[in-house]
């Protein structure tokens, strides 16, 4: 008898468009387009279930064969990954992070911070007028997922090591059991959609 076909092993991949001045993009996995509509800044695909192993990921300008990112990723079975297309369009590159989605303890949420504003200085993320939660992160640096009590937080982004507030964030409500990514986006002196700001991803 024929041997049964083994079930493919899988990983999960979340792709975020975080390049403030780049056009909408298509995502290709092993040269097969996987998004039905253009992925626009600063949106994400949500987690895609993909076969694990060595996979080629391309980011193309929507509707064209112009590739702005071409990366080969080693995706381990049952692991979760985030890929961020970052920097200005002339220097666009990929930041790849393995996501630890272990469940938070009772009454806790997990949150991480990623600095993805290309021309902003190193920053701290702190409670408004209070303690630093994530300290001294430079462009492309990411924190680990950090447990915080569930609740609503008023946070601000400061120039690292100072009391100078670069960005006052809208209140963020963290729900028990949930996992979040907050990333700094836009340009330091940007306007409109490219203005300095923050974006929240719910990872579970």
């Amino acid at each position: 008898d024929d041997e049964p076909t083994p079930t493919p092993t899988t990983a999960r991949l979340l792709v975020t468009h975080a390049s403030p001045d780049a056009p909408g993009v298509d995502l290709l996995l092993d040269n097969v387009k996987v998004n039905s509509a253009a992925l626009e800044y600063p949106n994400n695909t949500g987690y895609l279930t993909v076969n694990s192993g060595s996979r080629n990921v391309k980011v193309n300008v929507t509707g064209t064969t112009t590739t702005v990112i071409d990366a080969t990723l080693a995706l381990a079975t049952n692991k979760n990954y985030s890929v961020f297309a970052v920097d200005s369009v002339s220097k666009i590159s990929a930041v790849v992070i393995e996501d630890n989605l272990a469940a938070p303890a009772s009454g806790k949420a997990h949150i991480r911070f990623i600095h993805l504003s290309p021309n902003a200085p190193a920053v701290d993320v702190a409670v408004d007028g209070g303690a630093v939660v994530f300290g001294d992160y430079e462009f492309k640096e990411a924190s680990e997922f950090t447990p915080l009590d569930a609740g609503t937080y008023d946070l601000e982004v400061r120039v690292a090591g100072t009391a100078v507030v670069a960005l006052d964030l809208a209140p963020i409500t963290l729900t028990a059991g949930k996992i979040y990514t907050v990333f700094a986006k836009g340009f330091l002196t940007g306007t409109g959609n490219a203005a300095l700001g923050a974006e929240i991803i719910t990872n579970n």
Side-chain angles (χ1 to χ4, degrees):
D1 291 341
D2 291 337
E3 291 288 335
T5 302
T7 302
T9 57
T10 60
R12 295 201 307 159
L13 186 68
L14 182 150
V15 180
T16 299
H17 186 329
S19 175
D21 60 347
V25 297
D26 294 332
L27 174 66
L28 285 75
L29 191 64
D30 295 333
N31 292 313
V32 177
K33 182 181 170 183
V34 297
N35 58 314
S36 57
L39 181 63
E40 302 283 353
Y41 169 81
N43 297 327
N44 68 81
T45 60
Y47 281 104
L48 307 169
T49 299
V50 301
N51 289 343
S52 54
S54 181
R55 310 301 306 276
N56 178 254
V57 175
K58 289 186 177 72
V59 176
N60 285 3
V61 177
T62 292
T64 77
T65 57
T66 301
T67 299
V68 292
I69 294 176
D70 186 342
T72 297
L73 307 182
L75 305 180
T77 301
N78 297 327
K79 297 290 188 179
N80 303 285
Y81 300 88
S82 288
V83 177
F84 295 87
V86 305
D87 215 333
S88 56
V89 66
S90 62
K91 299 184 289 185
I92 195 168
S93 62
V95 172
V96 183
I97 306 170
E98 184 178 329
D99 298 340
N100 178 358
L101 301 185
S106 177
K108 300 283 188 179
H110 286 175
I111 184 171
R112 71 176 169 190
F113 173 72
I114 310 177
H115 185 335
L116 297 181
S117 175
N119 63 345
V123 298
D124 299 332
V125 179
V127 176
D128 277 4
V132 171
V133 181
F134 302 106
D136 196 16
Y137 283 84
E138 297 183 346
F139 179 51
K140 297 186 181 181
E141 286 189 333
S143 76
E144 300 293 334
F145 282 108
T146 300
L148 292 177
D149 291 335
T152 299
Y153 290 82
D154 287 321
L155 299 175
E156 59 190 19
V157 178
R158 304 174 187 161
V159 177
T162 78
V164 176
V165 177
L167 178 64
D168 193 17
L169 303 182
I172 298 173
T173 298
L174 305 181
T175 301
K178 302 301 285 184
I179 301 172
Y180 303 91
T181 296
V182 177
F183 67 89
K185 65 177 183 177
F187 296 115
L188 188 60
T189 56
T191 59
N193 199 39
L196 185 65
E199 192 75 13
I200 301 174
I201 298 170
T202 302
N203 293 86
N204 69 339

